[in-house]
Amino acid sequence: MIETKNLTFQYKKDTTVFHFPDIHVKQKEDLLILGKSGIGKTTFLHLLAGLLKPTAGKVSIADTDISLLSNNKLDQFRGKNIGLVFQQKHAISSLSVLQNMQARVFFSQSEVKKQVIEGLLHQLEIADLKNKNVKELSEGQLQRLSIAMSVIHKPKILLADEPTSSLDDATCKIVINLLKEQAKQTGASLIVITHDQRIKPYFQNQITL
């Protein structure tokens, strides 16, 4: 489902060249990528998501080399096929929880009924917050919303960047279980990139950068 080959990246005016391992994650499989700060974890995730173009090598998703897509085609491909859970929450602060979900559906060009959105919010235990502005949510509630926004359009790939680093142990466990369960329900491949050693027991497939 997602595969990388000979992937490297170099930021402009920087002598550091990041070299990334080849990965091959099939549909419904998951992978934990561990690494210390500064090793290039977020850069790797951004390459996988097509947010950065590699200096060399390629990223293929569902047999599509995403580096060959035009910016417009890549935006469309990402919106339809990739769900992103960032360390920094990307909900629109001026909107309610439900409005953020509806906006995500709109930008993914998907057809998802309101009752399906509300059902997912209920499953993630934030349905009672659907009309609240996201500024009123706690850190844990924001993370649940982030997960909901990343899976509502049923992407083929779910990418999570440090989804638990700012959470306590109990919430960390809940979030990882939610990510794995949502990936399972939508048939998505799940890749989590983190330095958080607490989540190692939840993943059979692991690599370290």
Side-chain angles (χ1 to χ4, degrees):
M1 183 56 65
I2 182 167
E3 182 178 11
T4 67
K5 288 186 177 179
N6 305 319
L7 202 61
T8 66
F9 184 80
Q10 183 178 21
Y11 289 98
K12 292 180 180 179
K13 299 181 181 180
D14 192 336
T15 57
T16 302
V17 179
F18 293 102
H19 297 266
F20 298 104
D22 293 349
I23 65 171
H24 182 81
V25 183
K26 297 179 181 179
Q27 185 177 4
K28 300 182 181 180
E29 287 186 343
D30 56 39
L31 174 67
L32 177 64
I33 301 176
L34 292 160
K36 61 185 179 181
S37 297
I39 203 69
K41 298 189 304 298
T42 296
T43 298
F44 193 20
L45 182 136
H46 286 180
L47 289 167
L48 297 178
L51 297 171
L52 292 174
K53 287 189 177 292
T55 303
K58 70 175 185 177
V59 178
S60 297
I61 297 176
D63 297 322
T64 298
D65 184 347
I66 63 174
S67 64
L68 300 179
L69 298 176
S70 67
N71 289 336
N72 186 47
K73 290 291 187 182
L74 180 56
D75 286 342
Q76 293 177 7
F77 183 88
R78 185 189 305 114
K80 181 179 179 181
N81 295 289
I82 300 175
L84 293 166
V85 182
F86 289 108
Q87 183 176 7
Q88 299 296 324
K89 312 306 178 293
H90 283 255
I92 302 172
S93 60
S94 60
L95 300 181
S96 69
V97 168
L98 181 58
Q99 289 169 333
N100 265 281
M101 293 291 290
Q102 292 170 326
R104 182 66 186 92
V105 169
F106 174 80
F107 287 119
S108 69
Q109 299 182 347
S110 303
E111 293 185 7
V112 181
K113 295 181 179 179
K114 183 179 178 181
Q115 55 263 41
V116 175
I117 296 175
E118 293 183 342
L120 178 58
L121 295 177
H122 178 77
Q123 185 179 350
L124 295 175
E125 299 181 356
I126 52 173
D128 57 333
L129 305 172
K130 68 179 182 180
N131 294 318
K132 285 188 175 293
N133 188 283
V134 295
K135 295 177 182 178
E136 302 176 66
L137 305 187
S138 68
E139 185 73 14
Q141 290 166 341
L142 277 170
Q143 191 62 286
R144 289 169 185 258
L145 174 59
S146 182
I147 293 171
M149 291 173 63
S150 71
V151 300
I152 187 59
H153 58 302
K154 296 185 178 180
K156 292 182 173 69
I157 308 293
L158 186 57
L159 302 173
D161 181 20
E162 298 282 7
T164 60
S165 59
S166 62
L167 304 178
D168 58 44
D169 289 348
T171 309
C172 169
K173 181 179 179 180
I174 290 170
V175 165
I176 288 300
N177 284 330
L178 287 173
L179 278 171
K180 290 176 70 72
E181 180 61 27
Q182 290 302 317
K184 180 180 178 181
Q185 288 191 19
T186 58
S189 304
L190 170 64
I191 298 177
V192 175
I193 295 182
T194 187
H195 72 273
D196 191 345
Q197 299 288 320
R198 295 176 299 174
I199 65 178
K200 289 178 68 175
Y202 298 92
F203 291 84
Q204 182 176 357
N205 300 318
Q206 303 178 17
I207 62 173
T208 301
L209 297 182

